[in-house]
Amino acid sequence: MSWCVSITALTHSPPTSMHKKVLAGVALLFVAACAPRFRHQSLGSQAVVVGQQEQASSIAVAASSDSVEVKYQLYLPRAVELQYAVRCPGGERSGVLGERWENYEKRRLAELQAQAHRERQATASLVGAVTGHVQGQAQVVEPTHHAQVTVAADGQEIGQAVAEATTPAVQLGPMDTGARTLSDSVTLPGGVAGSCSMAVWSRHSEQDLSGVTASFHVARLVDLQRERREGKAKKRQAALALRAQVTTTLVSAGADPDARRKAATQKAAHRAEIEFAAQQAKRHKREQERADRVARNRYALAIRGRVRAQFKVDPPSPPEPMHVQPKPPKADIRVAVDTRVDTRMQPRPVKPATAELDVGLAVEIQREGEIEFGRRQASLNTRGRIIAWLESCGADKYHRARVRQAKFDAYQADLRSKDQQREEARRREKESITISLRAREELLAYLVANGADPDYRRRQNEADFASFEARVDSRRLAERRKRQAMTAMAEASVTANAPEAEVSVASLTIDTISTNPPPAPVEVRPAAPSANATWISGFYERQGSQWVWISGTWATPPTNDAVWIPGVEVRLGGRVVVRPGSWRDQLGKKLQGHMPRRSVRPNVRDHRSR
């Protein structure tokens, strides 16, 4: 099979991460036996009367939107041509089955003649290859006459003659009557309630219909995905209805339905106020910094203008490089300048005693600025000369840009490669899932065709429950007989000792248990530990001659689609048989090994029967 070959190829391929994921997905699909797309719900089978007139056989079909599949099977003991019609509430299908005897005879004779021709060709080729070219010569001599005869024959002509002589004439055998079995299926859309019928008849009265049998089977193709969607929709509607009911109850009790919205609105307004205040603070800080810079600049300009206007000091020319004194470090210059500028942040009147100091300070600041400018110009010139020298030596000034471009191209190529790998992985995963689904459908069809029963587990559960009820009945019967025997013995003892002691049967107490459990206590449901937790109500469980209350608890479902089915109390002849609850999936399958843990209260005796 194709899926076997694909799985073998995947198994013998190199162990990459993608192959591991694919194999894990395939194994998961096979282990979990992924649910099919449709479920066949049998509606019944019926035999069809085949005759010269149309006689339909029908099977009742309920109203449903699911499609209806009609499978039919006909046995033809000889070549006959029949008409058929399949009618259902959602549509109908008709056509022709088989072929007439004249057409079958003509077609069959043509097939036999073609087969005989191939056999003659093979025989002629074989005989011609063995015999080859044959030539013979004969001579007759008499006293008055002389004769000589030469005969030659080709091997192919000899083989053709042998084939014609050995091949019998083509004709139909006595058992070649065109008998065969026809089977097919027809899928029709669903519709209103009604019936599906099938009729098979012949339009040629000269045909012999003896021995022709026909039957058909009707099944509904239940869409499991739609069924699950409808189930989820019903649960959602029930949840919404319950929510509306709870909301109505809370509102009637005085709750505010808009409390959460109001709290969210207040929270958003408070957050907006905080953000607005932060923006205002940042804006005020920027404006203050801008005002401080403007004030410092104005103060510096005022000092410089006052000095120039009062002492008429012109800016000094840049000093010659050879006469420049040893330069102090840049950090020291900046510290000195910042210190001197900070000491003069606020404007103050110029005193005559400090005029010379202000002039000297302005000249020194300007001198330091010119020195810094010259130093930067010298650095730029040096850098340009170094770059020119390196280019003359063969250096590439665009090397760093090329390296960055190469890295960017390699990064883009890596991204494209990873995208291609992801696309290939998705494609292979899709192919593996398709192969697995096809393999499962083929296996399911093969098992059903060989007599497998899809309802085996349900019948097994019913049989187990019936056996459980039988054991409970037998145990109850034994206890009843025991109590009757003890009562009879007590009555006999009281009757025998009546003169000596005044003992009545009413004073005799036998420890028995009521057939019905006590009333269930009121449980306080705690808060759920998680969002997907399910509340499992408490119940009574019989232990010996006592009823034990098993408290309710929160439990986490074993799977996402698991549903808790509560226990069932079955009353049989005044007795109560308790069947415990269990987790089940959407298909009703019981999930083993996932029973929730319970807390057991102290034993509770039921004294109503005393």
Side-chain angles (χ1 to χ4, degrees):
M1 299 173 68
S2 60
W3 59 272
C4 294
V5 176
S6 301
I7 292 175
T8 305
L10 288 173
T11 305
H12 290 82
S13 59
T16 62
S17 60
M18 187 273 295
H19 286 121
K20 293 180 179 178
K21 293 180 180 178
V22 172
L23 290 176
V26 173
L28 181 61
L29 288 175
F30 273 91
V31 171
C34 56
R37 179 67 172 82
F38 296 97
R39 173 169 55 86
H40 288 72
Q41 181 182 0
S42 179
L43 300 180
S45 301
Q46 189 71 26
V48 181
V49 179
V50 181
Q52 300 296 338
Q53 301 296 330
E54 181 179 353
Q55 298 181 12
S57 300
S58 61
I59 296 175
V61 177
S64 177
S65 60
D66 295 323
S67 302
V68 177
E69 183 184 48
V70 180
K71 293 183 179 181
Y72 61 86
Q73 183 174 4
L74 283 82
Y75 171 69
L76 306 178
R78 65 192 66 83
V80 293
E81 183 181 272
L82 300 175
Q83 302 289 327
Y84 81 96
V86 177
R87 299 182 179 88
C88 287
E92 63 179 31
R93 190 74 58 83
S94 60
V96 179
L97 299 174
E99 59 183 341
R100 300 188 63 181
W101 170 256
E102 295 79 4
N103 298 334
Y104 173 77
E105 184 179 15
K106 183 178 179 181
R107 179 179 58 82
R108 185 60 177 161
L109 287 175
E111 293 177 356
L112 294 177
Q113 288 176 359
Q115 183 180 359
H117 178 70
R118 290 192 296 270
E119 292 177 356
R120 285 196 298 269
Q121 291 293 336
T123 303
S125 300
L126 180 60
V127 173
V130 172
T131 58
H133 185 73
V134 179
Q135 183 176 2
Q137 186 175 6
Q139 184 176 4
V140 178
V141 180
E142 293 183 358
T144 59
H145 297 83
H146 178 271
Q148 184 176 358
V149 179
T150 302
V151 180
D154 186 26
Q156 292 295 330
E157 296 177 356
I158 296 174
Q160 191 68 28
V162 171
E164 293 292 342
T166 57
T167 304
V170 175
Q171 60 181 358
L172 295 179
M175 301 301 294
D176 194 353
T177 60
R180 55 177 170 169
T181 300
L182 301 177
S183 61
D184 199 357
S185 62
V186 176
T187 302
L188 298 174
V192 298
S195 61
C196 285
S197 62
M198 181 175 182
V200 181
W201 72 96
S202 174
R203 295 190 302 177
H204 308 284
S205 58
E206 70 276 6
Q207 292 188 140
D208 183 12
L209 301 181
S210 61
V212 179
T213 59
S215 63
F216 71 103
H217 176 77
V218 181
R220 189 182 302 281
L221 299 179
V222 180
D223 190 349
L224 296 180
Q225 295 182 0
R226 181 183 59 79
E227 192 176 33
R228 284 193 289 269
R229 288 196 299 270
E230 292 178 354
K232 291 181 179 179
K234 291 180 181 179
K235 292 180 180 178
R236 191 178 298 109
Q237 292 295 334
L240 291 176
L242 180 60
R243 180 181 180 183
Q245 183 180 359
V246 172
T247 303
T248 303
T249 304
L250 293 176
V251 170
S252 62
D256 185 6
D258 297 332
R260 185 175 298 177
R261 181 179 57 79
K262 292 178 181 178
T265 304
Q266 293 177 359
K267 187 176 181 180
H270 182 65
R271 188 184 300 110
E273 291 177 358
I274 294 176
E275 292 178 355
F276 180 75
Q279 293 177 0
Q280 291 293 336
K282 290 181 180 179
R283 187 181 299 108
H284 179 71
K285 183 178 180 181
R286 288 196 299 269
E287 292 176 356
Q288 185 68 30
E289 291 177 353
R290 188 183 300 110
D292 293 342
R293 287 196 301 270
V294 170
R296 287 196 299 268
N297 293 335
R298 288 179 180 178
Y299 178 72
L301 291 175
I303 291 296
R304 183 176 299 178
R306 191 183 308 120
V307 170
R308 289 181 180 180
Q310 185 174 0
F311 298 96
K312 297 181 180 180
V313 178
D314 296 331
S317 59
E320 296 295 332
M322 64 181 60
H323 299 292
V324 174
Q325 297 297 328
K327 302 175 183 179
K330 182 189 292 187
D332 298 338
I333 293 174
R334 289 182 178 178
V335 170
V337 172
D338 293 339
T339 304
R340 291 164 185 171
V341 171
D342 291 338
T343 58
R344 295 166 177 83
M345 288 296 296
Q346 301 297 331
R348 55 185 178 178
V350 180
K351 299 179 180 180
T354 60
E356 296 180 359
L357 181 61
D358 293 340
V359 172
L361 179 61
V363 172
E364 185 176 356
I365 291 174
Q366 188 172 3
R367 177 185 177 84
E368 290 177 354
E370 297 294 342
I371 292 173
E372 181 67 20
F373 178 77
R375 183 182 299 172
R376 291 186 179 181
Q377 289 295 115
S379 300
L380 292 175
N381 295 334
T382 304
R383 183 174 183 275
R385 288 195 298 270
I386 292 174
I387 292 175
W389 180 75
L390 291 175
E391 289 181 351
S392 65
C393 294
D396 184 8
K397 65 178 180 180
Y398 299 108
H399 173 71
R400 186 173 297 174
R402 289 195 180 92
V403 170
R404 288 198 297 267
Q405 184 65 30
K407 291 182 178 180
F408 180 75
D409 294 341
Y411 174 72
Q412 293 292 334
D414 184 57
L415 288 181
R416 288 193 295 270
S417 175
K418 290 182 179 179
D419 292 339
Q420 293 177 359
Q421 292 178 0
R422 284 194 293 269
E423 290 294 334
E424 183 67 18
R426 284 195 290 268
R427 184 184 64 80
R428 293 187 179 181
E429 183 177 2
K430 184 177 180 181
E431 290 180 355
S432 64
I433 293 175
T434 303
I435 291 171
S436 303
L437 292 175
R438 190 183 300 114
R440 187 184 183 281
E441 291 177 357
E442 293 177 358
L443 179 60
L444 181 61
Y446 172 77
L447 293 175
V448 172
N450 284 271
D453 186 7
D455 297 333
Y456 172 76
R457 288 187 178 178
R458 179 179 59 79
R459 287 200 293 270
Q460 187 66 26
N461 291 336
E462 293 178 354
D464 294 342
F465 186 68
S467 176
F468 172 74
E469 291 181 348
R471 290 196 301 269
V472 171
D473 292 341
S474 62
R475 188 178 300 173
R476 293 291 178 82
L477 182 60
E479 292 179 358
R480 188 185 300 110
R481 291 177 178 175
K482 182 178 179 180
R483 289 196 299 271
Q484 292 176 357
M486 292 175 64
T487 304
M489 291 174 60
E491 291 177 354
S493 175
V494 169
T495 304
N497 301 323
E500 288 79 9
E502 296 181 357
V503 181
S504 63
V505 180
S507 63
L508 181 62
T509 302
I510 301 176
D511 189 11
T512 60
I513 184 171
S514 174
T515 57
N516 296 324
V522 179
E523 289 188 313
V524 179
R525 183 181 301 184
S530 60
N532 62 340
T534 301
W535 174 256
I536 299 177
S537 302
F539 60 93
Y540 275 108
E541 184 181 76
R542 182 176 177 180
Q543 295 183 2
S545 61
Q546 297 176 346
W547 287 102
V548 177
W549 174 255
I550 308 298
S551 301
T553 182
W554 290 98
T556 302
T559 59
N560 293 332
D561 59 347
V563 178
W564 175 259
I565 304 300
V568 179
E569 294 183 358
V570 181
R571 299 180 181 273
L572 301 174
R575 298 182 302 276
V576 178
V577 179
V578 180
R579 187 175 185 179
S582 61
W583 291 104
R584 295 183 181 272
D585 57 11
Q586 294 294 333
L587 300 180
K589 181 180 178 182
K590 185 176 181 181
L591 302 178
Q592 302 292 339
H594 295 286
M595 297 301 295
R597 296 181 178 179
R598 299 298 187 91
S599 59
V600 180
R601 290 189 178 182
N603 296 342
V604 179
R605 278 186 174 272
D606 184 14
H607 302 281
R608 293 176 296 176
S609 60
R610 300 259 177 120

